[in-house]
Amino acid sequence: MKEDNEHVQRTIAEDNGQSRREFILTSALAVAGAGAAGILNPARAFGAESKNPSGQGNGPYPTEGMAAYSETGPLKLMKFQRRALGAKDVAIKIHYCGVCHSDIHTIHGDWGKIQYPQIVGHELAGEVLAVGSSVSKFNVGSRVGVGTMVDSCRHCPECLRGSENYCENGNTQTYGSKNRDGSITQGGYSKFVVVDEDFVVSIPDSIDLAEAGPLLCAGITVYSPLRHWNVAPGKRVAVLGLGGLGHLAVQLATALGAEVTVITTSPDKAEDARRFGAKDVLISKDGADFSKYKRAFDFILDTVPYQHDLDRFIPILKRDATLCRVGVGKLTTQNEYGQMTTVLSRTSLAGSNTGGIRETQEMLSFCALNKIKPQITKISMNEIDEAWSKVVAKKARYRFVIDMKA
Ligand SMILES: [Zn+2]
Ligand SMILES: [Zn+2]
């Protein structure tokens, strides 16, 4: 059946018309399980006020995106399809998707072998085109976003407390994860997506859709640890690395009331760091001496996505303070630190992985209230390869966002 499905999917992807053959195949696919979970009320899903996204009724929906076919090759346009609308599903027209360093790590195989072709992207922002029969949080036209997850087990203690990002049974990532039907999830470098409403967030009206995407991975990834470690007025915080995550971390920590110092390897970012709210900027290069900052900081948020010298930074924490890593480099590269480093002042080395859906919604409200937004450069689908090279070369200022209409 699986092979049949793949054949059917290819056939439909190749032919976006409304032939009888396609209708039969589409119906067969829906019955086969691609969307059988929700028997829809078509009138509600595509009523007079609905904009039918593809002329495909309740789906599955043909769409296209930029896929990687190997670790190193250029991305190429891939036609594929999104599942039929289930009862709790929301069909979303993707307007924008942010470019995250994780996308590059994943395709390059830095985090393990993956299956190609793979479409990445987990900073999606767009508009609801159709809703399943029991969707309660969104309507056609709602401004919505999807971050790094599209499903989780829903019953483990982590899921029950709203920490789906730490699901004990492993959540379903927006790309590169196995769906319940065995297919691999395809991400947001595409024009259309179908997601369970529980993993869709609402974008506040005051946040531009193009600027919303980067908040959904970069934003929540730094917001969650800043809140967990109680960053607040009177606290001195160092943000290590001023990239996509770092430039949002500086703004968020400043809005939470902390005094922020940026530590960067790029001297030309000093002015930007201050514009984002940093009181001080330290340049980290080989042989840099930070001994004058010994025990200066209440918290360090380390956003550097590759192996680096932790012994240089842990000693600038106050006693009992924490350095939290949110950037992850190549998994085969160890990132060791000295035997004595944490012992001398009872410091902690920690890590944090994005945030739950409820916390993501809270973060969006916080950003709307405090007028926090990423500094973005819009690119077209055809400019992604070039943008990736700039991200790797630390030339992004500070987040590339793909405009699906461009
Ligand atoms: Zn990301
Ligand atoms: Zn779970």
Side-chain angles (χ1 to χ4, degrees), residues 13-249:
E14 283 157 12
D15 176 6
N16 194 2
Q18 276 288 4
S19 67
R20 176 171 166 73
R21 177 193 58 154
E22 184 182 349
F23 174 73
I24 293 166
L25 290 173
T26 306
S27 308
L29 190 66
V31 171
I39 304 304
L40 304 171
N41 173 352
R44 165 129 192 232
F46 294 112
E49 79 288 7
S50 301
K51 291 171 234 167
N52 185 328
S54 63
Q56 286 296 111
N58 297 326
Y61 307 105
T63 187
E64 57 188 26
M66 294 301 284
Y69 285 78
S70 70
E71 277 187 22
T72 51
L75 302 188
K76 290 184 208 148
L77 194 69
M78 178 173 90
K79 291 185 185 296
F80 67 112
Q81 64 179 13
R82 297 297 189 180
R83 68 168 181 253
L85 203 63
K88 284 197 72 206
D89 280 341
V90 176
I92 302 166
K93 179 178 184 184
I94 304 171
H95 288 234
Y96 300 100
C97 184
V99 171
C100 177
H101 211 130
S102 304
D103 306 342
I104 305 171
H105 277 310
T106 299
I107 295 303
H108 288 179
D110 294 344
W111 294 347
K113 284 214 173 316
I114 65 158
Q115 185 179 308
Y116 302 95
Q118 175 70 60
I119 296 174
V120 290
H122 55 202
E123 296 185 339
L124 295 66
E127 148 192 24
V128 173
L129 289 192
V131 293
S133 55
S134 47
V135 165
S136 61
K137 296 184 212 155
F138 304 101
N139 296 309
V140 171
S142 295
R143 303 166 81 248
V144 294
V146 177
T148 62
M149 301 173 281
V150 289
D151 204 356
S152 71
C153 86
R154 322 276 183 122
H155 55 73
C156 76
E158 298 291 3
C159 285
L160 292 178
R161 70 168 69 100
S163 300
E164 304 89 353
N165 51 319
Y166 297 117
C167 173
E168 291 177 11
N169 298 303
N171 54 49
T172 308
Q173 294 280 293
T174 303
Y175 58 78
S177 262
K178 223 176 211 164
N179 263 317
R180 284 174 193 166
D181 67 0
S183 63
I184 299 293
T185 53
Q186 299 289 356
Y189 292 9
S190 59
K191 296 188 171 172
F192 187 78
V193 69
V194 176
V195 182
D196 186 300
E197 68 166 336
D198 291 344
F199 288 81
V200 178
V201 291
S202 177
I203 311 278
D205 287 342
S206 63
I207 299 180
D208 190 291
L209 274 188
E211 292 167 343
L215 299 174
L216 302 175
C217 172
I220 186 62
T221 297
V222 296
Y223 178 81
S224 186
L226 290 172
R227 293 301 310 273
H228 179 76
W229 275 280
N230 299 314
V231 166
K235 297 285 174 83
R236 211 171 161 196
V237 171
V239 172
L240 194 46
L242 193 73
L245 274 66
H247 90 294
L248 286 168

Side-chain angles (χ1 to χ4, degrees), residues 321-333:
T322 297
L323 180 148
C324 174
R325 296 196 68 190
V326 288
V328 179
K330 211 172 183 155
L331 295 190
T332 48
T333 310

